[in-house]
């Protein structure tokens, strides 16, 4: 197609409405237009966009009446009568076009209650791109077999696909070798695996396990069970009123009795980003092993386990745009090799006699039985998809959305944000005076907007703020300012109805 011919710019006139019906270039409408234009233009050559394409003589003014004042710059688009609207995440050379990523997720074209789906429940689970869905289909159509156990062709295909996924995970989180990557069902199983295999070797009566006030139940309950079984003590590092760890108190709790420190990298309830590198260094000074729960971090920011220097790192695939039922435990190889298996069965053995069994080396000694082969392959496909954009670009894009969402939510009368730490990932927990959280969640659902309203499996941190539940919109890189605007409109409607007694 000849991009010097402006006829390829077939944009919908609705692109320059304010979302209610008035045709005028307010900020959000212009941003939408700019992003839509950029998505089209990027697909036709990126930085090699002919300047005459955007010249006013090439624009049909009855269709795009304000385009004549919209100028393409090196960093985005600007509108001469208003402020500049930068597209801050224009991909660098070789990068994917994050502006158009939404189209890769077919479920986002669904309607719910007659309204377009607005998916703002990403902290619970993320949606899946077409490439992941098609990869699962391909596996079952062409590769389905058990792994590591046969010489036939499908077994080779399946094993290759499974081990390729392990290699992709290694690169994605910066592990030192594929032997450090163990496939499990998810973060919950990963923490339970670690709590079981570490408790016998690491924990004695009177020892201490240190967690934080921010933890998900999956990083609380298993350690309570260990403490009850072994006579150990569970210590909890507190947070301040913004939801950030009080590092001085954390360090005060560390001592020679501290054997395990298990901490989240990002709070699922508040979005707080925890300084895990600094906390790991402090824990290692007293000889403690460090586990990092990365369930809420790997989809929002670059992660490098060697830079963190944690001993273990766990995450779930379904929060990383991958299928459910698959997750990862990373462990330093020397430590994994020193630990006993958690479960016994096939695939994790070298040799079995009735009086003795010899186990495989890591990671296979921790993968007893037939694992979730197809979904591990799907996790690999999700990582390949994310690698097209790069996690730095995704993180920057989501940061912009988070800042916009924070600014707009604070305009809602009676709304209180829960979790205001300076360093946050894409979570916007809130309560509104006069409304139950489930009432807000139900009203949003009626408009096709999916959020979580409840305790988020993190009751202790909510109770720290005097609450039993919050409404929790949570972001991913396929979200947009328009998604946030849809949320805000409903919240304002709720307030209006309350004021007039509807």
């Amino acid at each position: 197609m000849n991009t010097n011919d402006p006829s390829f710019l077939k944009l919908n006139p609705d692109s320059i409405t304010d979302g209610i019906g008035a045709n005028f270039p307010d900020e959000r409408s212009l941003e939408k237009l700019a992003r839509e234009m950029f998505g089209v233009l990027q697909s036709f050559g990126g930085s090699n966009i002919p300047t005459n394409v955007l010249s006013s003589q090439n624009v049909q003014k009855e269709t795009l009446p304000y385009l004549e004042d919209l100028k393409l710059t090196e960093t985005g688009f600007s509108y001469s009568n208003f402020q500049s609207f930068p597209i801050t995440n224009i991909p660098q050379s070789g990068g994917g076009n994050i502006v158009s990523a939404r189209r890769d997720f077919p479920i986002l074209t669904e309607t719910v209650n007659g309204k377009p789906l607005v998916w703002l429940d990403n902290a619970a689970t993320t949606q899946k791109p077409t490439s992941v869905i098609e990869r699962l289909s391909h596996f079952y159509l062409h590769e389905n077999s058990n792994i590591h156990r046969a010489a036939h062709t499908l077994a080779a295909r399946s094993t290759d696909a499974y081990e390729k996924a392990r290699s992709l995970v290694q690169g994605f989180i910066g592990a030192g070798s594929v032997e450090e990557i163990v496939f499990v069902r998810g973060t919950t199983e990963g923490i339970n695996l670690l709590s079981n295999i570490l408790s016998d070797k690491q924990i004695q009566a009177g020892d201490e396990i240190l967690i934080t006030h921010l933890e998900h139940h999956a990083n609380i309950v298993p350690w309570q069970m260990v403490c009850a079984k072994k006579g150990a003590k569970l210590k909890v590092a507190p947070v301040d009123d913004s939801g950030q760890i009080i590092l001085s108190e954390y360090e005060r709790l560390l001592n020679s009795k501290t054997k395990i420190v298990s901490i989240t990298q990002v709070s699922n309830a508040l979005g707080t980003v925890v300084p895990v590198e600094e906390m790991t260094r402090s824990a290692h000074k007293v000889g403690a092993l460090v586990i990092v729960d990365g369930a809420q971090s790997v989809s929002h920011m670059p992660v490098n386990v060697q830079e963190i220097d944690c001993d273990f790192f766990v995450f779930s695939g379904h929060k990383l745009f991958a299928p459910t039922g698959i997750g990862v435990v990373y462990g330093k190889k020397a430590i994994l090799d020193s630990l006993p298996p958690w479960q016994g069965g096939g695939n994790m053995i070298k040799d079995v006699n009735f009086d003795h069994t010899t186990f495989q080396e890591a990671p296979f000694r921790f993968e007893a039985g037939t694992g979730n082969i197809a979904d591990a392959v799907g996790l690999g496909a999700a990582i390949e998809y994310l690698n097209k954009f790069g996690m730095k670009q995704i993180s920057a894009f989501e940061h912009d959305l988070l800042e916009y969402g924070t600014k707009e939510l604070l305009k809602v009368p009676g709304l209180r944000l829960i979790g205001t730490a300076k360093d946050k990932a894409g979570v916007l927990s809130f309560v509104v005076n006069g409304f139950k959280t489930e009432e807000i969640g139900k009203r949003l659902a009626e408009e096709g907007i999916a959020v979580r309203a409840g305790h988020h499996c993190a009751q202790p941190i909510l109770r720290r703020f005097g609450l039993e539940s919050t409404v929790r919109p949570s972001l991913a890189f396929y979200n947009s300012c328009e998604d946030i605007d849809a949320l805000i409109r409903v919240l304002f409607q709720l307030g209006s109805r309350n004021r007039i007694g509807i």
Side-chain angles (χ1 to χ4, degrees), residues 56-75:
S56 59
Q57 63 264 32
N58 287 333
V59 175
Q60 295 181 357
K61 300 219 176 91
E62 67 272 20
T63 303
L64 300 171
Y66 301 102
L67 190 57
E68 60 185 285
D69 295 312
L70 194 64
K71 306 299 182 185
L72 178 65
T73 70
E74 291 182 356
T75 58

Side-chain angles (χ1 to χ4, degrees), residues 237-240 244-254 274-276 278-280 282:
V239 300
D240 61 23
Q244 185 56 272
I245 299 294
I246 303 173
L247 286 174
S248 61
E249 289 299 305
Y250 164 78
E251 291 176 354
R252 185 182 64 80
L253 289 169
L254 290 168
V274 175
V276 291
E278 182 178 351
M279 294 172 74
T280 296
S282 297

Side-chain angles (χ1 to χ4, degrees), residues 1-3 8-9 38-50:
M1 180 176 291
N2 179 12
T3 55
F8 80 92
L9 282 173
F38 184 80
V40 174
L41 294 170
Q42 184 72 13
S43 66
F44 288 98
S47 60
N48 298 317
I49 300 169

Side-chain angles (χ1 to χ4, degrees), residues 274-417:
V274 175
V276 291
E277 291 186 31
E278 182 178 351
M279 294 172 74
T280 296
R281 286 195 298 271
S282 297
H284 282 167
K285 288 178 182 178
V286 300
L289 292 174
V290 178
I291 301 164
V292 174
D293 172 357
Q296 296 292 337
S297 61
V298 290
S299 61
H300 299 293
M301 62 186 64
V303 168
N304 188 300
V305 293
Q306 293 188 83
E307 291 179 0
I308 297 170
D309 196 30
C310 54
D311 301 292
F312 303 96
F313 187 93
V314 294
F315 69 92
S316 299
H318 75 96
K319 298 185 182 186
L320 191 66
F321 314 98
T324 57
I326 190 67
V328 169
V329 171
Y330 154 82
K332 290 179 177 177
K333 190 174 187 306
I335 299 176
L336 288 179
D337 284 342
S338 71
L339 294 172
W342 180 33
Q343 296 174 321
N347 202 47
M348 48 80 70
I349 57 90
K350 285 184 178 178
D351 186 72
V352 175
N353 292 294
F354 284 117
D355 60 353
H356 178 70
T357 295
T358 305
F359 302 119
Q360 295 262 37
E361 301 299 320
F364 305 115
R365 71 167 60 187
F366 304 108
E367 295 180 359
T370 298
N372 194 348
I373 303 167
D375 291 332
V377 174
L379 173 58
I383 289 172
E384 288 183 307
Y385 175 77
L386 292 171
N387 286 341
K388 293 195 309 180
F389 304 101
M391 293 309 299
K392 287 184 179 180
Q393 184 184 184
I394 288 172
S395 179
F397 186 87
E398 289 186 9
H399 178 75
D400 290 348
L401 284 179
L402 180 66
E403 285 196 334
Y404 176 71
T406 301
K407 179 186 71 173
E408 295 302 307
L409 281 171
L410 290 174
K411 296 176 183 178
V412 177
L415 186 143
R416 174 191 171 200
L417 278 174

Side-chain angles (χ1 to χ4, degrees), residues 138-175:
H138 180 86
F139 177 86
Y140 284 118
L141 286 170
H142 302 290
E143 299 166 338
N144 185 42
S145 171
N146 218 318
I147 56 173
H148 300 146
R149 303 181 192 178
H152 58 74
T153 300
L154 291 191
R157 290 179 184 175
S158 181
T159 299
D160 286 349
Y162 187 77
E163 293 305 327
K164 177 185 177 183
R166 197 189 305 273
S167 179
L168 285 163
V169 171
Q170 175 206 346
F172 188 69
I173 64 171

Side-chain angles (χ1 to χ4, degrees), residues 67-95:
L67 190 57
E68 60 185 285
D69 295 312
L70 194 64
K71 306 299 182 185
L72 178 65
T73 70
E74 291 182 356
T75 58
F77 291 91
S78 64
Y79 186 74
S80 60
N81 293 335
F82 289 85
Q83 68 178 65
S84 175
F85 303 102
I87 299 174
T88 58
N89 297 291
I90 294 176
Q92 303 302 311
S93 177

Side-chain angles (χ1 to χ4, degrees), residues 254-268:
L254 290 168
N255 60 78
S256 60
K257 294 182 179 180
T258 309
K259 302 304 179 184
I260 295 172
V261 172
S262 193
I263 52 177
T264 187
Q265 188 171 20
V266 172
S267 165
N268 76 305

